[in-house]
């Protein structure tokens, strides 16, 4: 028995389907926007911005008490006040280091070991760069006085070998 089945040609089927679907539409009437990606991007950005604004509105609810205090709304320190506070902090740290070295066979402490013992009335000082030299002197820079604004470039002490 011979197999009289015809082979199915997929390309011919697709072409005939496309021809059937587009036969009533003239070619000059098919319009595909050239900037569809740009339009989609712009609409997405606008929707994102609107959602962000809505989220801000719901978060703060129009109540200014919920808005965090700006760094610049703290009392301003003059350069002299700032230097005096950092100098006092550095002097107290130096005394604590010298005392530590006397009591511990001249071993140099880690600054974190003495930092909690440095007490200055009405101020809380923290410095990003804190170095204890071998002779017990202190180098401090990039200091911040919590609750006050005064970001001055002042260094206490010097870095030694």
């Amino acid at each position: 028995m011979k197999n009289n089945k015809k082979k199915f040609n997929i390309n011919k089927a697709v072409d005939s389907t496309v021809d059937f679907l587009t036969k009533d539409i003239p070619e000059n009437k098919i319009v595909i926007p050239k900037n569809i990606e740009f339009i989609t991007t712009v609409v997405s950005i606008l929707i994102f911005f609107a959602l962000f604004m809505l989220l801000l509105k719901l978060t703060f609810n129009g109540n200014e008490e919920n808005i965090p205090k700006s760094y610049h709304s703290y009392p301003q320190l003059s350069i002299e006040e700032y230097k005096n506070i950092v100098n006092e902090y550095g002097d107290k740290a130096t005394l604590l280091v010298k005392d530590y070295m006397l009591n511990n066979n001249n071993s140099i402490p880690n600054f974190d070991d003495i930092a909690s013992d440095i007490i200055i009335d009405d101020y809380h000082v923290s410095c990003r760069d804190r170095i204890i030299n071998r002779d017990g002197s202190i180098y401090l820079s990039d200091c911040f006085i919590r609750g006050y604004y005064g970001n001055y470039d002042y260094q206490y002490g010097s870095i030694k070998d």
Side-chain angles (χ1 to χ4, degrees):
M1 231 176 162
K2 241 181 178 185
N3 193 356
N4 288 341
K5 290 185 181 179
K6 291 183 179 179
K7 288 189 176 181
F8 181 72
N9 187 345
I10 189 75
N11 292 334
K12 200 175 199 184
V14 169
D15 289 341
S16 65
T17 304
V18 169
D19 288 340
F20 173 75
L21 292 174
T22 60
K23 73 178 178 180
D24 295 335
I25 303 172
E27 286 187 28
N28 61 355
K29 295 288 183 179
I30 300 175
V31 178
I32 298 174
K34 294 180 181 178
N35 295 329
I36 191 100
E37 292 175 2
F38 175 74
I39 293 169
T40 306
T41 304
V42 169
V43 169
S44 299
I45 290 172
L46 290 174
I47 290 172
F48 177 75
F49 182 72
L51 289 174
F52 179 73
M53 295 304 289
L54 180 65
L55 181 67
L56 281 178
K57 178 75 173 164
L58 292 175
T59 301
F60 292 119
N61 198 19
N63 189 354
E64 292 184 11
E65 294 173 5
N66 293 334
I67 299 173
K69 210 174 192 184
S70 170
Y71 176 73
H72 295 285
S73 67
Y74 292 125
Q76 174 83 30
L77 290 174
S78 69
I79 185 72
E80 292 82 20
E81 291 171 319
Y82 178 82
K83 284 182 180 181
N84 289 337
I85 295 167
V86 173
N87 282 335
E88 184 180 350
Y89 183 80
D91 292 343
K92 288 187 177 188
T94 302
L95 288 174
L96 287 170
V97 167
K98 300 262 184 193
D99 187 48
Y100 182 93
M101 290 174 72
L102 279 174
N103 294 329
N104 293 299
N105 297 328
N106 285 335
S107 66
I108 301 171
N110 186 342
F111 200 90
D112 292 332
D113 295 337
I114 64 162
S116 62
D117 295 331
I118 305 170
I119 298 171
I120 300 176
D121 294 336
D122 300 326
Y123 301 106
H124 178 36
V125 180
S126 59
C127 300
R128 184 175 295 160
D129 297 324
R130 310 171 304 175
I131 297 173
I132 299 175
N133 296 309
R134 291 182 191 181
D135 64 352
S137 62
I138 302 285
Y139 171 78
L140 302 172
S141 68
D142 200 11
C143 295
F144 174 73
I145 301 168
R146 188 176 302 152
Y148 295 89
Y149 173 68
N151 191 16
Y152 302 108
D153 186 21
Y154 175 72
Q155 298 168 352
Y156 176 86
S158 61
I159 300 174
K160 299 179 182 175
D161 211 16

